[in-house]
Amino acid sequence: MFLSEGTVWPYRYRRGTSALVVSMPHVGTYVPHTIGSALSDCAARRPDTDWHLPRLYDFLGELGATVIVATHSRYVVDVNRPPDGTNLYPGQDTPRLCPIDTFHSEPLYRGGVEPGEAEIARRMEAVWRPYHRRLAGEIRRVREEHGEMVLWDAHSIVSQAPRLFEGRLPDFNLGTADGAACDATLAESLRVALSRHARYTSVLNGRFKGGYITRQYGNPREGVQAIQLEMAEEIYMDEASPYEFRADRAARVRPILREQLEIALDWVNRRKRASV
């Protein structure tokens, strides 16, 4: 495994005490040299990273959240894609399990050389599987401790990416796999709360309905309420390189994120009290 090249583990982890688990699968920027040496110049900027999310969600410790943050770039392997590489949005052009181009269709590999099956399997074993072992284990632990829990999958993306969606993306995009991953009343409560913030646009189960993590682990009947939030990067940062964090914009967004998570926690805690 290429992990032997250094000490960069596939994720950072902080154990929490509440019924909230937060996953950030696309914030990583690390690319091992064995992979990076084959990448084109555009990959060096890591344009498809979910930039600055740990800083934006800096209040998670106050909510007692368990947090799992990817360290490796999605260009190594995308931990929010199915292990068999199935397209989560059939009929639409979406990046692969091991991407070969950027969101703007720029080739990632020099000379068009793509990772083969053996290389993909190696990356899965070194990065994808450890991330999911930890995530699945923490979901199980928190569910057992609290009876019901919230899995929040945190994402951000450029506000305009013609390859992936038309026009400008709404500012806040909640996804629950069309209701399969989260109770409808909780999802609606979150949607309504977002709609009250007139400065921003929002949608539930629009273009982004939830990736592999939301769909794989969300199980409302078993007490796992999974929600993906995809945000337009423009509302808290500069979308062009060097992708600077904008503290003034973030100061307006952060309370909305906290409100969302507090609504979700309050919802599961009320359910827990009602079941006693």
Side-chain angles (χ1 to χ4, degrees), residues 150-199:
V150 175
L151 170 61
W152 188 268
D153 203 39
H155 294 262
S156 66
I157 190 172
V158 289
S159 58
Q160 296 186 63
R163 173 185 177 183
L164 304 178
F165 48 84
E166 295 182 2
R168 187 191 183 281
L169 189 70
D171 297 314
F172 294 99
N173 301 263
L174 293 168
T176 64
D178 285 328
C182 178
D183 188 283
T185 59
L186 171 55
E188 180 63 9
S189 295
L190 296 170
R191 185 200 68 78
V192 169
L194 283 176
S195 71
R196 295 194 185 108
H197 298 280
R199 183 189 191 107

Side-chain angles (χ1 to χ4, degrees), residues 57 59 63 152 172 186 189-197 200 229 252-267:
Y57 282 86
F59 56 85
L63 300 182
W152 188 268
F172 294 99
L186 171 55
S189 295
L190 296 170
R191 185 200 68 78
V192 169
L194 283 176
S195 71
R196 295 194 185 108
H197 298 280
Y200 301 102
L229 178 63
R252 294 188 290 265
V253 170
R254 193 176 284 117
I256 299 174
L257 297 177
R258 182 162 187 154
E259 178 186 56
Q260 287 280 291
L261 293 176
E262 287 177 342
I263 288 171
L265 274 174
D266 181 65
W267 191 89

Side-chain angles (χ1 to χ4, degrees), residues 27-44:
V27 303
T29 58
Y30 178 67
V31 175
H33 177 71
T34 52
I35 296 174
S37 60
L39 295 180
S40 59
D41 292 342
C42 72

Side-chain angles (χ1 to χ4, degrees), residues 23-168:
S23 168
M24 299 184 185
H26 292 154
V27 303
T29 58
Y30 178 67
V31 175
H33 177 71
T34 52
I35 296 174
S37 60
L39 295 180
S40 59
D41 292 342
C42 72
R45 299 189 303 273
R46 312 287 193 269
D48 303 324
T49 303
D50 293 9
W51 294 103
H52 308 298
L53 288 188
R55 183 175 178 182
L56 189 63
Y57 282 86
D58 64 3
F59 56 85
L60 290 176
E62 298 171 17
L63 300 182
T66 292
V67 185
I68 303 168
V69 177
T71 56
H72 286 59
S73 171
R74 68 194 305 164
Y75 294 160
V76 176
V77 63
D78 191 334
V79 297
N80 198 34
R81 292 292 182 272
D84 62 359
T86 301
N87 188 342
L88 294 173
Y89 295 93
Q92 297 180 352
D93 186 14
T94 60
R96 299 184 185 183
L97 175 65
C98 289
I100 61 170
D101 53 10
T102 70
F103 289 167
H104 291 91
S105 300
E106 301 169 290
L108 284 174
Y109 289 87
R110 294 192 183 98
V113 178
E114 303 174 7
E117 291 184 7
E119 173 62 15
I120 292 172
R122 190 171 73 102
R123 299 183 194 186
M124 288 281 293
E125 191 63 30
V127 178
W128 194 99
R129 298 192 192 285
Y131 190 93
H132 281 274
R133 280 195 295 267
R134 171 60 75 179
L135 180 58
E138 291 307 306
I139 291 170
R140 184 169 55 252
R141 174 185 67 81
V142 174
R143 168 67 177 82
E144 290 173 353
E145 289 180 359
H146 295 275
E148 190 149 7
M149 54 87 65
V150 175
L151 170 61
W152 188 268
D153 203 39
H155 294 262
S156 66
I157 190 172
V158 289
S159 58
Q160 296 186 63
R163 173 185 177 183
L164 304 178
F165 48 84
E166 295 182 2
R168 187 191 183 281

Side-chain angles (χ1 to χ4, degrees), residues 238-250:
D238 291 334
E239 293 186 347
S241 180
Y243 313 113
E244 293 186 359
F245 186 81
R246 293 293 297 272
D248 54 337
R249 300 178 193 175

